[in-house]
Amino acid sequence: MDDNLKMAELLFPDTDKTPADYEQMYPKRSLEEEARVTRFAPSPTGFLHMGSLFAALIGKRTALDSGGVFYLRIEDTDKKREVENGVTGMVEGLKDFGIEIDEGMINESESKGAYAPYIQSQRTPIYHVYVKELVKKGLAYPCFMSEEEIAKVRESQEANKELPGIYGSYAKYRGITPDEAKKRIDNGEEYVVRLLSPGKEDRRISFEDGIKGRIEMPENILDVVLLKKDKTPTYHFAHAVDDHLMRTTDVIRGDEWISSAPIHLQLFEVLGFEPPRYAHIAPLQKEDAETGGKRKLSKRKDPEAAVDYYKRCGYPSEAVIEYLLTIANSNFEEWRMENPDAELEEFKFSLSKMSKAGALFDLAKLNDISKTYISKLSAEEVYDQTLVWAKDNNARLWELLGDDEEYAKAIFAIERGGVKPRKDIAKWEDVEGYVSYFYNEIWDKELDFADNLSPADMIEILELYKDIYKEDETAEEWFPKVREMAVSLGYAKAPKLYKKNPEEYRGHVGDVAGVIRAALTGRRNTPDLYEIMQTLGIEEVNRRFESAIEYLNTKKG
Ligand code: GLU
């Protein structure tokens, strides 16, 4: 038997399949020429970073827009990073944001799709078959170097300013014979399996990155590890085998992998696989308040880096996705302006329109988008979604809203549904503040009166108005009555008039309405006051006028 074959049998005596078997089991997908197969391939850490959700969305849209397939593969070769129920955490995380997968893991142990298993820990036999094949061809070999030996090599390479790593003459076990390998194995020595890199120092490779454009780099010359000591694959090797067998056409991933692309392209070549297209996404950036510059959105420093944050605050997932598309494609905002009511799916997403340097992530902008989104929902939708959020996040609000559904919906209906709905709520967390004065149980009852009128003036207004307001008056009747009263008390009927001749008036109708507003809501700014009064009901309105008058009396001095 030839030495390579002998070595292959020595290292992998138990494989019962060949690459050809797998090629058959996982055939090329029958999709249209332009269809793209993409994937999201997280480690099951349970923690979903905003950047990962962003990448997943890009993968999803690339597949969806081309009539392709988007799948979820769990990369659990690094057991240190794994947490309990980590897979479910990732699956749920995607689901929360409406990113449906066509194939892949659906919980800790189950998957859907014909290219299973979609979790790397269950693919060990497959990796072994492909490494065995490389060993057979003399393109991979067992390496028995100890950690200390490797560290020493690295040290001397650093001292001599050489490329660090195991390659060329540093690859001590290149050319090891099967007999020697057997002796060491029988001796209980541990080993990894390395690629015997065919790369040459003076050669360069180049590829077209879907986001970054043409990239040129030196060819890989490192004998990278394919299988670790525990016989599980490295990311590099699993990536090549999995993305080939799952028939991925486009590998969309973080740009921290760009530097490994020469390794990956070489692996595809030695394995005889057609390489996928690559698109490398730069990390999301954030304005750094301290330096005034930009920096990466950081899991450690920024609570908004965790996808959980948005759920906790109660951002509607559609608004988050809309925002992510805004920063993903520079032409999205223009499209949205031209198509204010279109579904997001109608937008033609394009990898080439993504930022090469990293999109700027900005919560203020997300808030704007989310406010616009929520302003277009019906009162029922706002009610239902707030209730779902409050159930887990604000028990008191949940109870209040649930106790009187009709009242709550009437509150949410205020200034909603017209051509210019109000944009007060960015996330369900804001609702408590927004509705608080409608509920004595949560209202702080601080009355924020403007200071341009004296307490006595304000009492005069409230005393008079509480007898003027009638619950059955219409919106059209309401303001003229306030104005009429204002004029009768010596206030200008319009701010403009007052501004022209301030000495002729005590103030203007806006000041008068402001006193009524503050007495009823505590605030200087609210949605339509008539609608608020109608919603509160006459009894509560009168009660609040009485207590405001009482309060102002204590201020009269
Ligand atoms: N598991 C890798 C990561 O977490 C995936 C990279 C890829 O998409 O290929 O970064």
Side-chain angles (χ1 to χ4, degrees):
M1 207 190 313
D2 132 315
D3 264 7
N4 290 336
L5 278 181
K6 231 163 126 185
M7 184 72 92
E9 287 310 320
L10 170 73
L11 302 183
F12 303 100
D14 301 325
T15 51
D16 58 353
K17 288 203 169 56
T18 64
D21 294 329
Y22 289 122
E23 292 298 322
Q24 213 177 13
M25 267 173 77
Y26 305 115
K28 264 192 104 153
R29 294 166 183 269
S30 48
L31 293 166
E32 297 292 330
E33 181 68 24
E34 69 279 5
R36 294 174 171 221
V37 179
T38 62
R39 82 292 192 282
F40 176 46
S43 297
T45 59
F47 178 85
L48 197 51
H49 190 286
M50 199 47 170
S52 303
L53 185 71
F54 187 60
L57 174 67
I58 306 307
K60 168 77 190 178
R61 288 303 305 248
T62 302
L64 188 74
D65 293 5
S66 64
V69 173
F70 172 67
Y71 70 88
L72 173 65
R73 178 172 74 226
I74 296 294
E75 307 213 321
D76 60 342
T77 57
D78 183 357
K79 291 291 164 194
K80 286 195 292 289
R81 298 184 61 200
E82 204 167 319
V83 300
E84 209 179 326
N85 292 326
V87 179
T88 311
M90 307 322 261
V91 174
E92 295 296 321
L94 291 186
K95 240 195 232 154
D96 282 342
F97 290 88
I99 302 183
E100 295 287 339
I101 56 164
D102 302 308
E103 287 176 14
M105 296 306 287
I106 51 174
N107 57 39
E108 288 314 301
S109 55
E110 291 169 293
S111 68
K112 59 175 181 179
Y115 291 79
Y118 293 93
I119 183 160
Q120 289 179 332
S121 54
Q122 288 174 27
R123 300 176 62 78
T124 308
I126 306 180
Y127 304 126
H128 288 189
V129 163
Y130 282 92
V131 185
K132 184 174 185 178
E133 196 64 16
L134 290 180
V135 176
K136 275 188 200 168
K137 291 182 179 154
L139 286 166
Y141 64 93
C143 169
F144 294 86
M145 284 175 92
S146 64
E147 306 291 336
E148 297 78 57
E149 269 181 289
I150 294 175
K152 260 207 197 119
V153 167
R154 191 170 286 262
E155 239 172 65
S156 91
Q157 286 168 332
E158 269 164 22
N160 296 329
K161 302 222 171 354
E162 291 176 326
L163 174 75
I166 303 305
Y167 58 93
S169 59
Y170 296 111
K172 189 172 160 192
Y173 290 91
R174 267 192 184 192
I176 185 175
T177 62
D179 291 342
E180 191 191 339
K182 182 166 181 343
K183 241 186 263 157
R184 289 180 180 270
I185 293 169
D186 289 346
N187 222 2
E189 280 184 51
E190 291 192 300
Y191 65 94
V192 299
V193 180
R194 287 185 187 273
L195 168 74
L196 200 157
S197 171
K200 296 270 181 301
E201 232 156 316
D202 56 353
R203 283 201 306 231
R204 295 176 76 76
I205 56 132
S206 96
F207 66 99
E208 190 65 28
D209 188 281
I211 296 170
K212 310 253 182 191
R214 175 119 323 248
I215 294 182
E216 218 196 273
M217 293 165 98
E219 190 171 71
N220 173 58
I221 61 164
L222 300 177
D223 284 3
V224 289
V225 175
L226 305 178
L227 288 187
K228 298 181 263 188
K229 283 182 184 158
D230 63 2
K231 304 296 165 279
T232 60
T234 54
Y235 167 76
H236 304 312
F237 192 64
H239 153 50
V241 171
D242 292 348
D243 281 312
H244 169 67
L245 289 180
M246 295 178 184
R247 309 294 172 175
T248 309
T249 62
D250 292 72
V251 169
I252 301 171
R253 61 184 179 186
D255 70 2
E256 70 274 21
W257 294 110
I258 282 198
S259 57
S260 309
I263 297 174
H264 301 155
L265 288 166
Q266 192 169 70
L267 285 174
F268 276 87
E269 194 181 314
V270 295
L271 286 161
F273 301 156
E274 189 189 329
R277 281 182 292 249
Y278 285 103
H280 288 97
I281 305 177
L284 295 174
Q285 305 288 310
K286 150 171 187 149
E287 227 56 91
D288 188 359
E290 272 166 42
T291 65
K294 282 188 210 164
R295 62 166 173 79
K296 270 196 229 174
L297 186 64
S298 137
K299 173 178 169 180
R300 206 165 39 83
K301 293 191 197 150
D302 309 312
E304 74 269 29
V307 164
D308 264 4
Y309 171 86
Y310 302 87
K311 213 179 156 193
R312 233 179 14 253
C313 299
Y315 283 97
S317 58
E318 294 85 346
V320 174
I321 295 298
E322 171 121 11
Y323 173 62
L324 291 181
L325 284 173
T326 306
I327 59 172
N329 265 189
S330 44
N331 55 328
F332 179 85
E333 269 187 285
E334 202 185 314
W335 172 84
R336 177 47 96 204
M337 239 135 59
E338 283 162 13
N339 305 277
D341 299 315
E343 298 289 330
L344 289 181
E345 281 71 30
E346 293 171 39
F347 172 70
K348 195 90 197 106
F349 175 79
S350 156
L351 280 177
S352 61
K353 292 207 176 72
M354 287 188 62
S355 156
K356 293 186 190 0
L360 186 65
F361 192 86
D362 170 16
L363 275 182
K365 178 84 186 171
L366 167 62
N367 284 337
D368 276 354
I369 287 181
S370 196
K371 278 180 183 172
T372 301
Y373 174 81
I374 292 177
S375 76
K376 292 182 183 173
L377 298 179
S378 69
E380 279 74 24
E381 286 168 320
V382 172
Y383 176 79
D384 291 345
Q385 294 195 35
T386 305
L387 211 59
V388 169
W389 172 84
K391 190 164 196 291
D392 294 330
N393 296 285
N394 187 337
R396 197 169 54 161
L397 182 67
W398 181 71
E399 262 173 50
L400 287 174
L401 297 183
D403 278 351
D404 192 342
E405 184 174 333
E406 208 183 317
Y407 182 59
K409 284 186 181 167
I411 298 169
F412 292 130
I414 294 173
E415 279 197 60
R416 189 170 286 281
V419 274
K420 247 186 130 222
R422 285 183 71 92
K423 298 180 180 178
D424 300 283
I425 305 170
K427 47 197 187 299
W428 307 128
E429 192 182 60
D430 299 344
V431 168
E432 175 167 349
Y434 180 69
V435 301
S436 66
Y437 57 82
F438 285 101
Y439 294 97
N440 285 318
E441 298 87 334
I442 55 173
W443 185 34
D444 64 10
K445 302 183 184 66
E446 300 273 332
L447 304 184
D448 184 19
F449 286 106
D451 39 26
N452 57 344
L453 297 182
S454 70
D457 290 343
M458 296 196 265
I459 292 170
E460 185 187 25
I461 290 169
L462 294 176
E463 288 284 10
L464 192 57
Y465 185 65
K466 80 180 164 47
D467 294 328
I468 289 176
Y469 174 67
K470 294 285 171 287
E471 194 169 31
D472 58 3
E473 68 198 34
T474 63
E476 290 69 36
E477 289 162 348
W478 179 82
F479 190 67
K481 282 171 74 180
V482 174
R483 193 168 46 205
E484 200 181 307
M485 177 188 78
V487 171
S488 77
L489 290 174
Y491 295 84
K493 67 177 180 186
K496 251 199 320 227
L497 278 182
Y498 172 69
K499 261 179 217 138
K500 255 195 234 151
N501 293 307
E503 61 293 337
E504 274 183 31
Y505 303 100
R506 299 170 75 182
H508 60 80
V509 64
D511 300 325
V512 172
V515 172
I516 301 169
R517 186 185 313 275
L520 294 175
T521 67
R523 304 184 186 184
R524 295 190 192 192
N525 278 308
T526 67
D528 185 77
L529 191 51
Y530 169 76
E531 289 189 57
I532 291 174
M533 293 173 74
Q534 290 284 306
T535 307
L536 281 171
I538 188 80
E539 269 174 45
E540 185 60 19
V541 164
N542 283 334
R543 223 191 45 69
R544 289 188 183 192
F545 281 145
E546 293 299 346
S547 52
I549 291 166
E550 220 171 276
Y551 164 78
L552 288 167
N553 269 316
T554 67
K555 295 277 157 191
K556 242 167 44 178

